[in-house]
Amino acid sequence: MARTYTIETFGCQMNFHDSERMAGLLEAAGYARVDDATLADVIVLNTCSVRERAEEKLFSRLGEVRADRPDAPALVAVTGCVAQQEGGAILKRAGSVDVVVGTQAMRRLPELLEEAATSGTRQVDVNPYDDVSFPLGMAVRGDPVKAYVSIVEGCNDFCAFCVVPYTRGHERMRPATEITREVEEAVSTGRREIHLLGQIVNHYQDPDDARCDFAGLLERVQRIGGVERIRFASPHPRHVTPRMITAMRDLSCVCRHLHLPVQSGSTRILTAMRRRHTRGEYLGLVAQIRAAIPDIALSTDIIVGFPGETSADFEETLSLVKQIEYHSMFSFKYSERPATMSSKRLLDTVSEAEKTRRIVTLQELQREIQLRLNEQAVGTCATVLADARSRRRDDELSGRTSGNTVVNFPGNPEWLGRMVDVAVQKAGPHSLWGVPA
Ligand code: 5AD
Ligand code: SF4
């Protein structure tokens, strides 16, 4: 009987996609997937370290895994960002772990599992391999409608709060020919929406063709027959060029949504964060984008309670959010991440209670804005790509508009993967509801 594996994923889309790749590597090595961890011969925990809570989740899950199977333990592999950063220290802290594989050594997972199983010795590889190629067609895609395609790995920006340059290494670009081949493969297996992934996607530059930047890549992906929608995450405001804005405006498959992490509305805090954009520059950029693409939906990431953030700085964040009116937002309380510049050089001055107060205030404001924006859609017709069954009701489907708003509607599961026109009848802060038009 084939040996079995399961993968549990924490964190971002990049991690989700790494799990799809590891699933492919394991299946090529003869493992079969099971969903129930208590039945698996191999349990892979693909970890995230971007915020403190994500890391704690790993260690509590490791405790559970061990308690589930006291007599016949599975082989346990820890992969991803925590693995990269903690390396062998994980073996000391968690006795149940057999293999630790960093973000750049992922392709060695089957080999290291084999080694651990046959020799009974615990294996660690957190070496920084530069190779960003991956065998075409090997990833086991977990979504029938959307395909994740990595274009840039790592980051050289070193924002003061961010652990990513330490967990994902320096920036490496994938050749455009490899990217387009993977997009063709994804389309040939039925995927309609392509998500281009990278830490700073819009810093993309084809290593083999000086003329192909991020805008050029969008053009090439759009030309591939069968691609209906293109999304990407995450861009950095500093690398939004006029060429990129024009490409987004002119390319019909590129969704009318831009995630533009601002992090703070105070120039003083942005400087301390080493973001290299001011409040004024960011607002100017938003004005330029909206002038070119009036119907674009914007979303953002915001950190509250960065070291030294005063009430006045936080008020500036609130006023920026009011002014811009984002369609959605991810907000976080600052937490110290190992090795980052802010953890080494700045004191975490804002109390936990104050961080909580600020995030609650920010989220209340954002909720009002989202509700107001969503209510404007009532009475209109929204074109959505049906991408999932609704989480709330069996006879409903869910999809997203080009602007990335979730729309739920009664529908037949056969419509998954199709564009559906929905007459919007109701709005909430997080989604719309309607009936097929
Ligand atoms: N503390 C809080 N939030 C953080 N993020 C990244 N690092 C930290 C940290 N140390 C947030 C940023 C980033 C998002 C992915 O996570 O807002 O854009
Ligand atoms: Fe988490 Fe960042 Fe790693 Fe993604 S890249 S898993 S967000 S630490």
Side-chain angles (χ1 to χ4, degrees):
M1 212 171 71
R3 292 167 301 172
T4 55
Y5 79 95
T6 191
I7 303 184
E8 297 177 17
T9 309
F10 303 83
C12 65
Q13 287 172 331
M14 186 73 92
N15 252 24
F16 179 83
H17 183 50
D18 281 351
S19 291
E20 296 182 329
R21 287 176 157 189
M22 288 191 283
L25 292 165
L26 291 172
E27 293 187 11
Y31 291 87
R33 185 181 204 119
V34 287
D35 289 330
D36 182 350
T38 61
L39 302 176
D41 300 317
V42 166
I43 300 176
V44 180
L45 299 177
N46 190 16
T47 62
C48 168
S49 58
V50 79
R51 286 172 299 278
E52 221 163 13
R53 290 244 315 274
E55 216 174 293
E56 285 162 14
K57 271 196 222 156
L58 164 69
F59 288 101
S60 69
R61 183 68 190 119
L62 280 170
E64 287 168 10
V65 162
R66 186 177 204 171
D68 277 351
R69 306 263 296 267
D71 303 324
L75 272 183
V76 176
V78 176
T79 63
C81 293
V82 181
Q84 185 66 43
Q85 208 161 22
E86 303 287 323
I90 295 176
L91 299 182
K92 290 203 193 96
R93 183 163 164 191
S96 53
V97 175
D98 302 284
V99 172
V100 175
V101 188
T103 50
Q104 298 172 57
M106 194 174 76
R107 282 174 69 172
R108 293 199 61 222
L109 175 66
E111 188 188 331
L112 295 172
L113 284 168
E114 198 58 44
E115 188 67 33
T118 50
S119 71
T121 54
R122 305 164 91 192
Q123 305 288 318
V124 178
D125 187 350
V126 291
N127 287 314
Y129 299 97
D130 270 350
D131 184 8
V132 288
S133 63
F134 195 79
L136 188 66
M138 186 176 270
V140 177
R141 298 193 183 280
D143 191 305
V145 180
K146 304 172 201 157
Y148 295 98
V149 177
S150 163
I151 67 166
V152 189
E153 298 195 11
C155 177
N156 295 341
D157 247 44
F158 292 93
C159 295
F161 51 81
C162 186
V163 79
V164 167
Y166 309 93
T167 58
R168 295 252 165 203
H170 68 92
E171 190 175 68
R172 289 147 292 143
M173 311 284 181
R174 251 180 121 191
T177 47
E178 264 187 50
I179 296 168
T180 49
R181 250 184 254 136
E182 190 174 334
V183 172
E184 281 161 2
E185 179 269 334
V187 170
S188 74
T189 56
R191 273 74 190 188
R192 299 269 170 269
E193 187 171 287
I194 303 298
H195 287 233
L196 303 175
L197 297 182
Q199 300 307 333
I200 302 188
V201 275
N202 54 338
H203 201 216
Y204 181 77
Q205 171 60 58
D206 184 352
D208 299 335
D209 178 358
R211 289 160 311 172
C212 182
D213 58 1
F214 182 62
L217 183 69
L218 291 176
E219 284 163 17
R220 288 201 196 186
V221 173
Q222 152 122 359
R223 277 204 296 270
I224 297 171
V227 171
E228 283 181 35
R229 278 182 165 184
I230 305 171
R231 297 189 190 274
F232 49 84
S234 278
H236 190 299
R238 202 159 65 86
H239 298 291
V240 177
T241 60
R243 251 179 73 72
M244 173 179 159
I245 299 174
T246 308
M248 287 192 72
R249 184 195 65 192
D250 295 345
L251 295 171
S252 59
C253 293
V254 175
C255 287
R256 293 298 179 250
H257 169 229
L258 187 60
H259 185 65
L260 209 54
V262 66
Q263 311 297 357
S264 167
S266 151
T267 295
R268 208 177 67 81
I269 293 299
L270 289 169
T271 308
M273 287 176 164
R274 301 185 80 255
R275 288 291 288 175
R276 290 180 271 184
H277 57 81
T278 62
R279 174 192 175 97
E281 283 162 355
Y282 184 93
L283 287 171
L285 178 64
V286 167
Q288 219 181 315
I289 294 166
R290 285 188 162 152
I293 316 168
D295 60 340
I296 199 151
L298 298 176
S299 60
T300 200
D301 290 346
I302 289 184
I303 298 176
V304 301
F306 186 78
E309 186 188 75
T310 61
S311 307
D313 292 316
F314 177 62
E315 287 300 322
E316 288 201 62
T317 295
L318 294 176
S319 78
L320 178 126
V321 167
K322 271 189 207 144
Q323 189 174 336
I324 293 184
E325 301 196 308
Y326 293 104
H327 274 74
S328 70
M329 173 193 292
F330 296 101
S331 51
F332 312 98
K333 295 194 247 182
Y334 171 75
S335 73
E336 281 187 350
R337 304 287 63 224
T340 56
M341 282 195 228
S342 58
S343 74
K344 286 195 263 185
R345 297 191 194 156
L346 302 173
L347 285 176
D348 189 1
T349 49
V350 182
S351 70
E352 191 54 32
E354 182 57 19
K355 283 178 189 164
T356 303
R357 196 192 66 74
R358 289 182 191 174
I359 203 164
V360 167
T361 309
L362 176 63
Q363 288 177 348
E364 274 169 9
L365 168 65
Q366 180 58 24
R367 191 186 154 88
E368 280 167 29
I369 293 170
Q370 273 178 219
L371 185 58
R372 191 158 13 94
L373 292 177
N374 283 348
E375 278 169 349
Q376 289 170 7
V378 174
T380 67
C381 178
T383 303
V384 305
L385 176 62
D387 61 11
R389 290 177 186 229
S390 153
R391 274 190 252 160
R392 280 177 294 171
R393 293 185 52 153
D394 281 349
D395 54 352
E396 285 191 358
L397 299 179
S398 155
R400 283 176 189 264
T401 64
S402 175
N404 212 32
T405 303
V406 173
V407 184
N408 295 302
F409 53 96
N412 183 332
E414 279 177 15
W415 299 352
L416 287 175
R418 289 194 208 157
M419 294 286 188
V420 182
D421 286 333
V422 179
V424 178
Q425 296 186 348
K426 280 190 283 191
H430 303 292
S431 61
L432 303 173
W433 188 89
V435 292

